[in-house]
């Protein structure tokens, strides 16, 4: 693949913005060459009226949405994370509330479907929190403090029938299978 | 007989296909008839077949034996019954097409040409939208969570109870039972007509089982067969007297 | 901004894949118009040797990195590729890919064996999706966009011999018997 294509892919997936130096190390190209290609790419996007744009800040590069679409995107992101939860999300949230800390795998075993997207959505809405358990080499999930307060309780222990439901045999049976 | 490992096939059709392919045969009804004994012998000897899957292996065994019996005793079958063998042949051909496609998919996966998504992280979104990141649904309350959780537990309890569908385990008359029955018939009657024995079967599976039982008894030299001319009635008597 | 630009921006920021209907509601455009623009966009990316690609499955769209950069991105993200598929899973997945939407009964008719467990595992891994068809009172299965991404293709139409296997007459005859 061309350097241009590689740079585009890298900026696209990176969580943080990338410097010329970092990009050079990743692609085995020279920094001035990369700088030149990124300039072309930036112009390409502008000329083509692309929905994406390359922004440069402090020598760091990043792909973002084109500024002309800002209003649309803002509206969309707002709608995406507001409003009621879908039934699958509500169920996942419930299980995390009563059984947290719980791993993604455990949650998926209980729900019977892949939960990557649901977890991401709940995380972004600030309803749950992720914590990496070193000993188990896995992420575990809990409901967030914000959500607990939102429910008007002091902790998950105050959830109705918490003690009984937290220890439910049905769940234990399903989770047992994982081991 | 060729040794098979479970990795080589998955399920009854996979086994059948590996048998056919290892003999370098085409998938035809005649070849299926030829391979029937090998298949049955394999299923009988196999220890690695999941008991829950055994029923499915036996269904294919029954179909194969039906095809075989039809090849051996064509006069017993009317044209309207053609379909059974035709059906297995078609099914196996089609299965083979998908197996070949699955090999190609395996190759594609092995190339590791994964497509990656843009990251959706809080930090990245905050750049676009400066707003508090806690956005709860308005209608959720602790009581709703309780109700939901109870429903989930009820569903789980139901799922845990779910066993194999009953129809999978429908009692089939086994060969041993049939052998006992034939012995009894011969004891009572001295001589039995083969066609009558088959006609007594209430369905195809039972007919196949009867046929197998007769073969088994013949193998054990318990029976004597007499036939006046080709394709005429076969008379069965006991060898024990 | 042009519709093309808006679609590009929306796909880039969305947590989940977007359907033509959702995109239509967001952009006030018609679904067939959007479908046409997305097709052009997909082709543009391919022709320009872009580092990005548009993938499609079951009427859902996503924007991803180009397949040729897979090795580079894997290295960069230090992502672990998900585990091996067993032979039975691969078989079931193949049949669902070529013949989806397909019911459990149809799948079992083709494989000649019960597929409950395999379906459950594929659902948890997110490689297939389940949809309840009201008119037939039965669950139907399709491969997911994650499956498309896993293979690095644009859609199921890019699978080898897709047309032939998707429309196979022998298959139709075998499945006919179920009804």
């Amino acid at each position: 693949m061309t350097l241009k294509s590689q740079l585009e892919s890298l900026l696209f997936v990176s969580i943080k913005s990338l410097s010329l130096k970092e990009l050079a190390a990743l692609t085995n190209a020279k920094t001035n060459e990369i700088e030149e290609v990124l300039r072309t790419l930036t112009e390409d996007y502008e000329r083509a009226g692309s929905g994406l744009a390359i922004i440069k800040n402090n020598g760091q590069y990043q792909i973002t949405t084109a500024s002309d679409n800002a209003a649309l995107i803002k509206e969309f992101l707002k709608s995406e994370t507001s409003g009621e939860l879908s039934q699958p999300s509500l169920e996942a949230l419930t299980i995390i509330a009563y059984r947290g800390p719980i791993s993604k795998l455990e949650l998926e075993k209980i729900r019977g479907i892949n939960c990557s997207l649901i977890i991401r959505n709940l995380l972004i809405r600030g309803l749950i929190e992720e914590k990496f358990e070193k000993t188990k080499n896995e992420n575990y999930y809990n409901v967030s403090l914000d959500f607990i307060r939102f429910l008007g309780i002091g902790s998950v222990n105050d959830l109705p029938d918490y003690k009984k439901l937290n220890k439910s045999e049905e769940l234990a049976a399903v989770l047992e299978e994982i081991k | 007989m060729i040794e098979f490992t479970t990795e080589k096939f998955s399920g009854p059709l996979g086994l059948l296909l590996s048998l056919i392919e290892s003999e370098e045969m085409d998938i035809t009804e005649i070849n299926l008839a030829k391979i029937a004994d090998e298949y049955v012998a394999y299923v009988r000897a196999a220890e690695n077949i999941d008991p829950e899957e055994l029923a499915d292996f036996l269904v294919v065994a029954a179909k194969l034996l039906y095809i075989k019996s039809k090849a051996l005793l064509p006069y017993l079958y009317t044209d309207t019954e053609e379909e059974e063998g035709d059906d297995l042949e078609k099914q196996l051909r089609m299965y083979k097409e998908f197996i070949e496609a699955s090999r190609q998919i395996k190759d594609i996966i092995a190339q590791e040409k994964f497509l990656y998504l843009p990251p959706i992280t809080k930090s990245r979104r905050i750049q676009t939208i400066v707003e508090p990141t806690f956005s709860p649904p308005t209608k959720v309350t602790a009581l709703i969570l309780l109700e939901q959780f109870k429903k989930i537990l009820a569903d789980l309890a139901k799922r845990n109870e779910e066993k194999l569908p009953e129809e999978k385990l429908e009692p089939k008359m086994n060969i041993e039972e049939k052998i006992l029955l034939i012995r009894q018939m011969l004891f009572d009657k001295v001589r039995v007509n083969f066609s009558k024995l088959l006609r007594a079967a209430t369905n195809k599976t039972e007919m196949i089982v009867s046929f197998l039982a007769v073969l088994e008894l013949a193998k054990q030299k318990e029976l004597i067969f007499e036939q006046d001319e080709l394709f005429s009635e076969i008379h069965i008597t006991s060898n024990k007297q």
Side-chain angles (χ1 to χ4, degrees), chain A, chain B:
Chain A
M1 284 302 267
T2 62
L3 180 58
K4 190 160 108 176
S5 158
Q6 293 185 324
L7 296 173
E8 221 177 346
S9 287
L10 285 167
L11 292 176
F12 181 81
V13 297
S14 179
I15 291 173
K16 59 182 198 65
S17 49
L18 296 169
S19 68
L20 289 176
K21 226 171 154 179
E22 287 168 310
L23 288 167
L26 288 161
T27 56
N28 291 319
K30 293 198 179 104
T31 51
N32 57 354
E33 205 183 336
I34 290 172
E35 193 169 16
E36 179 55 35
V37 171
L38 286 176
R39 190 174 311 133
T40 319
L41 197 57
T42 312
E43 286 165 11
D44 284 354
Y45 279 172
E46 279 168 19
R47 196 171 334 105
S50 167
L52 306 178
I54 302 218
I55 50 170
K56 182 184 167 188
N57 192 11
N58 254 338
Q60 303 271 319
Y61 293 84
Q62 193 171 23
I63 284 190
T64 172
T65 52
S67 56
D68 286 346
N69 289 332
L72 171 75
I73 297 304
K74 195 170 170 178
E75 189 64 26
F76 169 66
L77 291 180
K78 219 165 107 185
S79 71
E80 201 182 25
T81 54
S82 60
E84 294 311 308
L85 293 173
S86 68
Q87 183 58 28
S89 296
L90 180 60
E91 284 178 23
L93 183 63
T94 304
I95 295 165
I96 295 170
Y98 275 96
R99 276 299 290 211
I102 187 169
S103 74
K104 178 163 165 281
L105 190 68
E106 289 170 336
L107 183 62
E108 287 173 341
K109 276 278 174 186
I110 295 171
R111 301 252 10 264
I113 55 165
N114 185 272
C115 294
S116 308
L117 211 63
I118 290 171
I119 287 179
R120 272 204 286 183
N121 195 25
L122 294 175
L123 277 171
I124 284 172
R125 294 186 68 158
L127 301 174
I128 61 170
E129 284 167 351
E130 183 177 75
K131 199 185 159 195
F132 186 72
E133 283 288 345
K134 264 190 194 159
T135 51
K136 300 194 172 154
N137 195 27
E138 230 181 321
N139 280 322
Y140 275 73
Y141 300 89
N142 265 314
V143 286
S144 67
L145 265 179
D146 279 337
F147 183 62
I148 288 171
R149 273 193 223 116
F150 170 78
L151 292 176
I153 53 179
S155 81
V156 284
N157 295 289
D158 300 337
L159 284 168
D161 283 342
Y162 179 81
K163 268 210 179 117
K164 191 181 117 208
L165 293 176
N166 176 256
K167 298 261 173 273
S168 119
E169 278 175 28
E170 282 88 356
L171 283 190
V174 174
L175 297 181
E176 190 54 41
E177 287 171 34
I178 301 176
K179 286 162 201 165
Chain B
M1 197 179 126
I2 304 139
E3 290 289 312
F4 285 95
T5 60
T6 35
E7 285 80 41
K8 279 198 182 149
F9 66 89
S10 60
L13 295 178
L15 171 59
L16 192 52
L17 192 61
S18 15
L19 289 170
I20 286 266
E21 284 180 346
S22 67
E23 301 276 337
E24 293 178 6
M25 296 197 290
D26 291 329
I27 300 171
T28 63
E29 226 177 294
I30 295 166
N31 286 338
L32 287 175
K34 283 182 192 159
I35 214 88
D37 286 342
E38 219 175 313
Y39 178 93
V40 172
Y42 182 83
V43 172
R44 206 174 253 194
E47 286 167 0
N48 45 16
I49 295 178
D50 188 328
E52 290 190 359
E53 293 184 341
L54 194 58
D56 296 316
F57 278 88
L58 291 179
V59 167
V60 171
K63 284 184 183 174
L64 281 172
L65 291 166
Y66 178 81
I67 292 170
K68 185 177 173 179
S69 63
K70 205 170 79 173
L72 292 175
L73 307 161
Y75 64 96
L76 282 177
Y77 300 88
T78 57
D79 286 347
T80 47
E81 289 175 278
E82 281 291 311
E83 282 185 6
E84 188 83 11
D86 203 34
D87 167 38
L88 185 62
E89 183 187 325
K90 261 191 205 149
Q91 201 182 358
L92 194 61
R93 278 179 194 280
M94 184 184 64
Y95 178 76
K96 190 182 173 197
E97 283 192 3
F98 281 112
I99 290 302
E100 277 158 9
S102 81
R103 286 182 192 134
Q104 284 181 291
I105 287 192
K106 201 175 179 183
D107 290 343
I108 296 174
I109 292 171
Q111 288 170 19
E112 301 202 346
K113 293 278 184 193
F114 304 150
L115 309 180
Y116 293 88
L117 293 173
I120 307 288
T121 61
K122 266 191 187 175
S123 64
R124 187 172 180 124
R125 293 172 68 89
I126 288 166
Q127 291 169 354
T128 337
I129 182 167
V130 192
E131 266 174 38
T133 47
F134 178 62
S135 52
T138 52
K139 285 182 190 154
V140 172
T141 63
L143 278 175
I144 285 180
L145 291 186
L146 172 68
E147 181 192 304
Q148 285 293 327
F149 198 67
K150 281 184 170 165
K151 196 175 130 263
I152 291 163
L153 293 181
D155 288 348
L156 276 181
K158 216 171 105 194
R159 205 167 84 196
N160 290 345
E161 275 171 22
E162 255 177 42
K163 293 281 180 291
L164 265 186
E166 286 302 319
E167 55 182 351
K168 291 265 164 208
L169 298 172
E170 88 184 41
K172 297 216 167 86
M173 179 170 280
N174 65 32
I175 296 174
E176 282 70 22
E177 282 168 12
K178 204 69 180 178
I179 287 174
L180 284 178
L181 199 75
I182 292 170
R183 280 190 187 136
Q184 188 61 44
M185 278 169 90
L186 288 170
F187 187 77
D188 293 345
K189 285 190 156 183
V190 184
R191 197 171 100 155
V192 174
N193 288 348
F194 184 58
S195 60
K196 194 178 164 193
L197 195 67
L198 290 190
R199 269 200 305 270
T202 52
N203 56 41
K204 274 181 191 165
T205 312
E206 199 184 335
M207 193 186 274
I208 292 157
V209 173
S210 304
F211 183 68
L212 274 182
V214 170
L215 286 183
E216 187 64 34
L217 285 168
K219 213 166 87 187
Q220 290 170 15
K221 301 203 165 46
E222 277 194 40
L223 301 182
I224 296 172
F225 298 91
E226 285 171 54
Q227 190 178 32
D228 295 336
E229 58 187 37
L230 199 62
F231 300 131
S232 69
E233 183 59 75
I234 301 170
H235 305 291
I236 306 171
T237 46
S238 173
N239 196 21
K240 281 199 172 155
Q241 287 135 1

